[in-house]
Amino acid sequence: MADPVRPEAALDLSADVVAITQAICDIPTVSGDEGPLADLIVDALADAVHLEVIREGDTVVARTNLGRERRVVIAGHLDTVPINGNVPTRFEEVDGRRVLWGRGTVDMKAGVAVQLKLAHELADPTVDVTWMWYDHEEVAADFNGLGRLLKVRPDLFEADFAILGEPTRAEVEGGCNGTLRLDLRTRGRRAHSARSWVGENAIHKLAPALERLAAYEAETVTVDGLDYREGLSAVLVHGGVAGNVIPDEAVLTLNYRFAPSRTIDEAVAKVRALFPEYETDVTDASDGARPGLDDPLAQQFVQAVGAEAKPKYGWTDVARFSALGVPAVNFGPGDPLLAHADDERVDCDEIVACERALRSWLTGATG
């Protein structure tokens, strides 16, 4: 297995966008190791006199200050999940199409490459742009670079519209579903399994909940013209003491992916109403994000991409912008089903298509 490539030369943002993608993918940036790439980005933007460059930890912000009537945030994360023999990258032919294979190609360095090239080249966009490249997206939310930046520089998030470079196959995916994790807990009484009738089996008490989940039909909820399919699933089960003991406690963890029209409180109330006889504990919850596609900026962007907007079912950082009242969409190259996969790979044509669409929109050459 080849060793990961460490940066030895400057990042050339005048290169074509596929070459930039390969260059940054060959720099290992597993969460916590984004510093070397952040250094290269700051250096590469040093000659872009149209940009104000700000660094906070390993998050880099570059923004124009042209006095435009409207401002857009365009963001992408620098980190990846752990490498597993898939760095350095390589080019392959898959079904007659040229793809770039390797960690981060989909999630989401191809999108970052598009952003970096445009940030460097577009000195006179039709809107002011705040570009954000942030660290620690692939780990616990407490470490997220966007969240950290929001605490220390909330002014940088002032905008009329936001785009997150998550992989969407070069299509627009508006907003995102919210996510809720909730534990159902049952209690029983321990006993020797040879005399099970003396005890009370907590695991058996989960059976009605599992039957209810198996029969549950998730809703599809229309929000701002997009149909968000919800999901309610059992994702973890804990219980048992030993192989000869009737368990006195069991926990079933549920994950509810809920439409962005619902609040967290409404989502919690809905799940608890389905399981009224169980003790419940909320362990994690994040609001979804409405797509805000009624905004003229969003409509112009969808027109520039040239495809019908779709909903984003998974949770993404667009929710951070939505919580601030900033409508946000996901847009980037790559199939999200390949994100984090060992055979992660991106269609090179999608990278080019994303660059063209964003360039067209930011320069006003839509239609």
Side-chain angles (χ1 to χ4, degrees):
M1 182 180 71
D3 293 330
V5 178
R6 286 286 172 180
E8 296 179 357
L11 184 60
D12 181 10
L13 297 183
S14 67
D16 70 82
V17 70
V18 174
I20 296 172
T21 301
Q22 183 174 35
I24 64 176
C25 286
D26 284 341
I27 301 169
T29 57
V30 176
S31 304
D33 196 22
E34 299 94 332
L37 179 54
D39 292 340
L40 288 177
I41 290 173
V42 171
D43 291 344
L45 295 176
D47 64 344
V49 295
H50 60 284
L51 294 174
E52 174 192 7
V53 179
I54 301 159
R55 182 165 181 176
E56 200 287 319
D58 289 332
T59 289
V60 180
V61 177
R63 62 178 182 175
T64 64
N65 293 293
L66 302 172
R68 302 290 193 239
E69 290 185 5
R70 309 201 76 183
R71 178 174 289 276
V72 174
V73 172
I74 303 179
H77 63 81
L78 302 178
D79 62 324
T80 72
V81 297
I83 293 166
N84 188 22
N86 46 13
V87 171
T89 57
R90 65 174 184 265
F91 289 102
E92 295 183 347
E93 292 290 325
V94 177
D95 297 329
R97 302 181 71 85
R98 185 173 183 242
V99 304
L100 180 63
W101 179 99
R103 175 63 76 227
T105 52
V106 171
D107 194 9
M108 55 179 286
K109 288 184 176 179
V112 168
V114 169
Q115 296 168 5
L116 287 170
K117 183 169 181 63
L118 294 178
H120 186 259
E121 293 183 358
L122 299 185
D124 190 33
T126 57
V127 293
D128 270 313
V129 185
T130 301
W131 306 91
M132 294 180 176
W133 302 289
Y134 60 101
D135 58 291
H136 285 88
E137 191 271 348
E138 298 289 6
V139 290
D142 290 346
F143 299 101
N144 187 288
L146 275 187
R148 187 181 66 247
L149 184 65
L150 181 59
K151 291 178 181 177
V152 298
R153 289 295 306 271
D155 57 299
L156 296 178
F157 289 78
E158 295 175 3
D160 301 289
F161 183 52
I163 300 170
L164 192 67
E166 290 284 354
T168 62
R169 305 181 191 87
E171 299 177 337
V172 177
E173 293 185 348
C176 68
N177 274 336
T179 182
L180 166 71
R181 276 191 292 274
L182 182 145
D183 287 345
L184 299 184
R185 191 178 306 274
T186 59
R187 302 185 188 275
R189 184 170 63 253
R190 291 191 192 187
H192 196 295
S193 60
R195 296 175 290 277
S196 58
W197 59 89
V198 177
E200 193 177 339
N201 196 310
I203 292 178
H204 291 182
K205 291 183 178 182
L206 291 176
L210 291 169
E211 291 174 356
R212 216 167 295 165
L213 284 168
Y216 181 78
E217 295 185 4
E219 292 184 63
T220 296
V221 182
T222 301
V223 183
D224 296 344
L226 299 184
D227 294 332
Y228 290 85
R229 183 173 178 175
E230 297 191 328
L232 179 61
S233 307
V235 292
L236 291 169
V237 178
H238 297 285
V241 179
N244 60 353
V245 177
I246 300 302
D248 61 342
E249 184 178 52
V251 177
L252 177 66
T253 300
L254 308 182
N255 184 207
Y256 178 32
R257 299 294 177 136
F258 57 93
S261 56
R262 302 189 199 275
T263 66
I264 289 175
D265 287 345
E266 289 170 343
V268 171
K270 180 175 180 179
V271 176
R272 283 179 170 160
L274 289 170
F275 306 96
E277 74 273 34
Y278 288 93
E279 180 183 337
T280 59
D281 296 299
V282 175
T283 60
D284 184 50
S286 297
D287 276 311
R290 300 184 73 100
L293 293 175
D294 54 346
D295 186 281
L297 275 177
Q299 293 172 0
Q300 292 165 12
F301 178 62
V302 173
Q303 181 183 4
V305 173
E308 184 179 355
K310 299 179 179 179
K312 170 66 79 173
Y313 296 130
W315 190 92
T316 75
D317 276 316
V318 296
R320 297 182 186 274
F321 294 99
S322 181
L324 298 171
V326 179
V329 299
N330 304 275
F331 175 72
D335 182 347
L337 295 179
L338 292 173
H340 302 184
D342 287 342
D343 62 344
E344 187 174 350
R345 60 193 183 275
V346 64
D347 187 324
C348 295
D349 287 345
E350 286 185 10
I351 305 175
V352 174
C354 284
E355 181 204 352
R356 288 175 177 168
L358 267 176
R359 185 185 296 274
S360 172
W361 179 62
L362 290 171
T363 58
T366 60

